[in-house]
Amino acid sequence: MSSDNLACPSTSDLRTQPVAALDKEGIGPAMTSIPMIACSTSLSEHHSGGSGTNKNKQMVEQLQRYGVISSKKVVEVMETIDRALFVPDGTPAYVDSPMAVGYNATISAPHMHATCLQLLEENLQPGMHALDVGSGTGYLTACFATMVGPQGRAIGVEHIPELVASSIKNIEKSAAALLLKGGSLSVHAGDGREGWPEHAPYDAIHVGAAAPEIPQPLIDQLKPGGRMVIPVGKIFQDLQVVDKNLDGSVSIRSETAVRYVPLTSRDAQLKGY
Ligand code: SAH
């Protein structure tokens, strides 16, 4: 991989670009500059069908090489769900950076997707229930659905109806299409701060936007033995791992410093926060 790859641009509006994770000391990027696939290549591959799959595989291999992914299951699911199907046309798909998807939202960087999948892996076993709050492009919802399988349940909740519609189209093009058709995967328009009580309790909850504090309904909808991964904070944010113990008590730890768009109201988001 040439160092040119490091020069791939990401969009410049920081408020809509939840930039990737900082290292644990918060003093600099740990995984923000993993050289991935050169932008020009990504762009052409995005439009060239089949060979995009190879580029997706290379992206996953790179994440393994850099120690971001150690889990075989996460490798499998990230190879199965092609990221290019979830980014807007003309957006480089395989660069390790968040990308703007409209409506002041982004698709998270591949290393953040990988990190969250890995943190939730034990709670994404076949047959389990998963909730993806702020599901955006639907990428992670599709990964969750693939991991929990047709006997499980993966629910995405997103408050921008246009993103709900486009995420469903993205999923229909992906390897998770049959799960959507079969009903084990669904995406809903709604305020994710309320969770999605209909299919609670959940073994796994992922929140893709930073909450000022952990919403109580999400804690309530977590199954005993369940795990939630949620960025918490305003300017300084931590990716928190919330485990509900079998006695119903909750243990919380910080995994790493991160920067995500806020978990907020639709109005605030559309006004630019
Ligand atoms: N995991 C998604 C991340 C999208 S960015 C992906 O990688 O595609 C965060 C998303 O959270 C945005 O799509 C935004 O619209 C959504 N969001 C923010 N506040 C929300 C809320 N209160 N309820 C539901 N979705 C919300």
Side-chain angles (χ1 to χ4, degrees):
M1 206 51 57
S2 88
S3 59
D4 287 346
N5 294 330
L6 290 167
C8 290
S10 58
T11 45
S12 56
D13 181 354
L14 280 180
R15 284 198 299 176
T16 62
Q17 283 298 303
V19 227
L22 303 176
D23 68 9
K24 288 200 173 66
E25 291 73 45
I27 50 169
M31 298 179 279
T32 49
S33 48
I34 296 169
M36 287 283 176
I37 315 298
C39 293
S40 54
T41 317
S42 305
L43 269 173
S44 57
E45 295 303 339
H46 180 67
H47 296 289
S48 66
S51 53
T53 315
N54 273 339
K55 295 291 173 192
N56 190 64
K57 199 160 188 272
Q58 283 175 35
M59 178 193 80
V60 177
E61 280 166 7
Q62 197 81 326
L63 289 166
Q64 283 179 276
R65 210 167 304 137
Y66 278 81
V68 179
I69 309 179
S70 53
S71 149
K72 218 174 132 205
K73 282 256 173 66
V74 173
V75 168
E76 264 170 36
V77 74
M78 289 187 73
E79 284 183 354
T80 303
I81 304 297
D82 186 352
R83 184 177 169 88
L85 302 173
F86 293 82
V87 303
D89 279 351
T91 302
Y94 306 119
V95 175
D96 193 27
S97 170
M99 296 288 165
V101 298
Y103 309 96
N104 292 323
T106 57
I107 180 167
S108 300
H111 77 264
M112 282 314 303
H113 283 154
T115 299
C116 293
L117 284 167
Q118 210 155 262
L119 285 168
L120 289 168
E121 179 183 353
E122 294 297 309
N123 295 72
L124 293 168
Q125 301 297 319
M128 289 185 166
H129 283 205
L131 176 67
D132 186 18
V133 170
S135 48
T137 61
Y139 175 85
L140 272 183
T141 322
C143 291
F144 294 164
T146 305
M147 290 173 85
V148 301
Q151 308 305 324
R153 189 85 219 199
I155 307 287
V157 183
E158 165 59 53
H159 69 169
I160 307 288
E162 290 87 345
L163 287 177
V164 173
S166 57
S167 69
I168 289 171
K169 287 200 180 114
N170 298 340
I171 294 166
E172 280 169 347
K173 286 183 263 166
S174 80
L178 276 181
L179 298 165
L180 182 71
K181 215 171 166 203
S184 64
L185 190 180
S186 54
V187 186
H188 307 269
D191 188 338
R193 293 172 292 191
E194 301 301 324
W196 197 258
E198 194 184 333
H199 295 290
Y202 296 97
D203 300 277
I205 299 180
H206 169 263
V207 183
E213 54 197 34
I214 302 172
Q216 188 60 40
L218 298 184
I219 295 177
D220 295 343
Q221 289 171 35
L222 199 57
K223 193 182 274 184
R227 169 172 282 192
M228 168 160 51
V229 173
I230 176 169
V232 180
K234 289 188 176 166
I235 295 169
F236 297 103
Q237 303 168 3
D238 277 327
L239 189 66
Q240 297 196 350
V241 178
V242 180
D243 286 311
K244 191 177 262 189
N245 304 310
L246 293 178
D247 65 3
S249 63
V250 162
S251 315
I252 304 177
R253 70 174 172 83
S254 283
E255 174 71 14
T256 185
V258 288
R259 191 133 174 240
Y260 279 72
V261 295
L263 186 72
T264 185
S265 69
R266 188 167 50 212
D267 278 358
Q269 182 171 326
L270 294 176
K271 280 186 194 135
Y273 310 109

